[in-house]
Amino acid sequence: MPRSTVHYIVHRVNEEVVAIRHKVIFLPKTPEHLEEVSRGFAGLARHRAFIKAAGAIDGCHIRIKPPSGPDVHDSRVLRHSPLYAQSSYPPPGHFILADGGYPCLQRPLPLITPYKRQVQGVGAQRFNSHHSRARSIIERPFGMMKTRFWSIFLQALEVHYTFVPHVVTACTILHNICLSAGDVLAPEDEPEDDVEEDEGEADLEAVSGAQWRDQLCAEVSALEVVPPGHDYL
């Protein structure tokens, strides 16, 4: 089959799959759905202080052949994303959980990150433990997608770098469809990356998100834990 034909088929199929993304991938549409999501995160964290968590964020590196440039830090990807620029989610009073590779923010996108590794004090350590329980749910879908689409996520993609987001979006859509059909795979086992903390955002964090995190930390020390009541994918 001519390469031009393969190119046309791949792009055409990808376009059709990406066209249904809003039917398969969407944020909570109702207050009831948002409340269900928040209760889920509180259950994962096993603490009611996380009852306003409305999501978790992480990144995954895709290799391209030939390479298009150096790796980009998670926080830089975030700052150039519509999620950050439009500030349309989560609703006021809610926050998204992130690891130490992101800045702790209240505006324009509320992100709650763990305390830095050199933190001292039982309260902050307890907060980090509960935070990790809830945030780590985001790592499971990445692991399952690497198992399902290993040739895309674990090998170098031979496509133009501008087409990579479309490929990843299509994979995410197909993955969600598989989950809805009961096709659940064991995640790809990989050693956990040593997360590079975003020290470059220290000044912004001090005025934007650190106080909110301190309030949550105080709640962790004051409120009771939530017993686990659900199984989560």
Side-chain angles (χ1 to χ4, degrees):
M1 184 179 294
R3 290 173 60 91
S4 60
T5 303
V6 174
H7 179 276
Y8 171 79
I9 293 173
V10 169
H11 280 254
R12 178 64 185 274
V13 172
N14 187 277
E15 181 181 341
E16 294 293 335
V17 173
V18 171
I20 65 170
R21 63 189 182 279
H22 296 301
K23 298 180 180 179
V24 181
I25 305 172
F26 49 84
L27 298 170
K29 297 180 178 179
T30 65
E32 293 76 18
H33 189 190
L34 177 62
E35 183 180 355
E36 180 183 355
V37 170
S38 297
R39 285 201 310 268
F41 276 102
L44 288 169
R46 299 184 184 178
H47 207 289
R48 300 185 189 280
F50 291 84
I51 197 64
K52 293 298 184 181
I57 190 170
D58 203 354
C60 177
H61 292 282
I62 303 293
R63 291 183 295 165
I64 305 173
K65 185 178 180 181
S68 60
D71 289 341
V72 179
H73 196 281
D74 288 345
S75 61
R76 183 178 178 186
V77 175
L78 172 70
R79 286 193 294 270
H80 289 82
S81 70
L83 183 67
Y84 184 91
Q86 298 173 5
S87 304
S88 57
Y89 187 85
H94 291 75
F95 54 84
I96 293 175
L97 301 172
D99 64 23
Y102 294 90
C104 186
L105 298 173
Q106 187 165 357
R107 292 183 305 271
L109 178 67
L111 292 181
I112 297 298
T113 63
Y115 286 98
K116 304 300 184 184
R117 292 176 189 154
Q118 62 268 29
V119 70
Q120 297 179 354
V122 176
Q125 293 174 7
R126 287 186 60 195
F127 173 85
N128 281 5
S129 177
H130 288 288
H131 181 285
S132 178
R133 288 177 181 272
R135 188 206 62 81
S136 61
I137 189 65
I138 191 63
E139 297 172 0
R140 185 171 176 84
F142 281 114
M144 284 194 288
M145 288 180 64
K146 289 177 181 178
T147 299
R148 195 183 302 278
F149 305 109
W150 63 270
S151 63
I152 291 177
F153 289 94
L154 300 180
Q155 296 186 14
L157 273 178
E158 296 188 38
V159 299
H160 195 271
Y161 72 92
T162 58
F163 189 55
V164 172
H166 301 274
V167 174
V168 175
T169 300
C171 289
T172 307
I173 294 167
L174 295 175
H175 173 68
N176 281 16
I177 292 174
C178 289
L179 290 181
S180 65
D183 182 10
V184 180
L185 300 177
E188 175 77 16
D189 290 329
E190 288 188 344
E192 199 167 310
D193 292 336
D194 190 21
V195 176
E196 178 185 350
E197 295 178 344
D198 195 43
E199 300 294 346
E201 296 285 351
D203 293 339
L204 181 60
E205 179 175 349
V207 299
S208 187
Q211 184 176 357
W212 194 358
R213 182 174 56 192
D214 289 343
Q215 292 173 355
L216 292 172
C217 182
E219 292 180 33
V220 166
S221 299
L223 297 177
E224 72 277 13
V225 299
V226 177
H230 300 280
D231 292 326
Y232 297 89
L233 293 178

